[in-house]
Amino acid sequence: MRFVVSLIVLSFPILDVLATMRFARWSGIPTLAWLVASLVAGAVLLRNERLTFRAKTLAALRGDQPLLRGLLDSGRRILAALLLILPGIMSDVIALLLLVLPFNLGAPLATQPAGVSRGLARDSLEGDFHRVD
């Protein structure tokens, strides 16, 4: 069973490059140009997601959005970026499907504790402090 799984994993990039060469011949787009454009798009997406992940994590720590939603969305984009970096058109199509399909548009995945605001305006308590000895 291990041999079959390793054969599938190792044959995917080879079949993907062969499909890319066939697609390039059919469409007239040079194979090298396709591979370089895909590599650059994946690298840019990965770099931008690194910055976005930091902002989403800070927003989750402030209580503005659930942490699990940010992790799943960032994980989806990182996987898409890695698939774009891999050479081949099949991995590019899978990456574009991961980017286009709206996975996290439903209800929030995590509840928030009472008193934590989701909006930008913060609720605050006004009052005086007295020390009683």
Side-chain angles (χ1 to χ4, degrees):
M1 183 67 181
R2 189 181 308 173
F3 177 72
V4 173
V5 171
S6 63
L7 184 67
I8 291 171
V9 169
L10 292 176
S11 66
F12 178 74
I14 295 168
L15 293 174
D16 203 8
V17 169
L18 290 175
T20 303
M21 290 171 36
R22 178 167 270 203
F23 176 76
R25 193 175 329 129
W26 174 74
S27 66
I29 300 172
T31 306
L32 187 61
W34 182 274
L35 295 177
V36 168
S38 174
L39 177 77
V40 169
V44 167
L45 182 63
L46 195 61
R47 182 168 187 249
N48 288 341
E49 189 54 38
R50 185 185 70 193
L51 301 173
T52 305
F53 176 72
R54 185 179 303 147
K56 286 182 183 180
T57 304
L58 289 175
L61 290 175
R62 283 192 315 262
D64 293 339
Q65 70 180 21
L67 180 63
L68 187 59
R69 171 171 283 184
L71 286 175
L72 287 175
D73 197 36
S74 290
R76 179 175 58 103
R77 286 195 179 122
I78 288 172
L79 181 62
L82 292 176
L83 285 171
L84 281 171
I85 290 172
L86 286 176
I89 193 162
M90 291 189 301
S91 61
D92 293 347
V93 168
I94 294 170
L96 291 177
L97 283 176
L98 279 174
L99 290 174
V100 170
L101 293 178
F103 289 116
N104 289 332
L105 292 181
L109 297 175
T111 58
Q112 289 196 340
V116 176
S117 168
R118 284 190 185 260
L120 294 175
R122 291 287 190 193
D123 295 332
S124 63
L125 295 174
E126 300 281 336
D128 295 327
F129 174 73
H130 298 265
R131 183 174 187 116
V132 178
D133 291 322

